[in-house]
Amino acid sequence: MDRFNLTGLNSEVQYYQYALDLVTDVFDLDCDDEMRETIEKSARHLYGLVHARYIVTTRGLNKMLDKYKKGEFGKCPRVHCHSQPLLPMGLADVANTKPVKLFCSRCEDVYNPKSTRHAGIDGAYFGTSFHNIMFQVYPTLIPAKSVERYVPRCFGFKVHAGAALVRWQGAQRDEMKRRLRKAGLEVQLGDDSGDEEADGDVQFEGVPS
């Protein structure tokens, strides 16, 4: 009912006035089923856009705070975040761009909702600013950042960083071979034969110098 929250929305919603009447329960237009379905779709879209503005008001923040404290938006799936409550957020303020996501204030990462029903909600109905405004207004809610990180181990021993480097180098070598073969070039890399230098120089065969 706050007209300020409706500013500019008439250009974004089809049949705006009819949709507003339907949301505010004063709709009395006698129309066919197809027209009514279109107006109901516009009303849902209008309600979502108004919702994005309402939740950054004082009253809206208070209601969202209660839901956040109860964990109604879910808990962070990351083990080292210890079930930190999540907040809904959008990756875009423009409707029909990206669905709603969930933000964890401990690891500061973004996750997909578990429910497919929730995943179908437009992210613009929450906006890109809500979760940041929430922690600006309630700074005591900001949790300590998680410094715990998973350490890869084999039989209790840490996996040496060099092992990951070797795997990465092998993947890069295979990718280079694939690209050269695709280009029609015969190639030998590093230790593919015993005649190459140990430092992995590339030798081409059948290519004019």
Side-chain angles (χ1 to χ4, degrees), residues 104-160:
C104 175
S105 55
R106 188 179 293 273
C107 64
E108 297 185 330
D109 214 338
V110 180
Y111 301 91
N112 290 317
K114 289 184 179 180
S115 170
T116 54
R117 182 173 66 88
H118 295 157
I121 299 175
D122 200 311
Y125 296 166
F126 290 90
T128 59
S129 303
F130 158 67
H131 61 291
N132 294 316
I133 293 176
M134 172 74 84
F135 293 116
Q136 289 288 330
V137 176
Y138 303 106
T140 56
L141 295 179
I142 302 176
K145 303 308 175 189
S146 176
V147 296
E148 298 177 82
R149 292 292 181 271
Y150 169 72
V151 179
R153 297 178 185 273
C154 287
F155 303 107
F157 297 97
K158 292 183 181 179
V159 177
H160 197 278

Side-chain angles (χ1 to χ4, degrees), residues 79-91:
V79 173
H80 293 306
C81 283
H82 307 293
S83 299
Q84 174 69 29
L86 299 171
L87 278 175
M89 63 163 289
L91 295 178

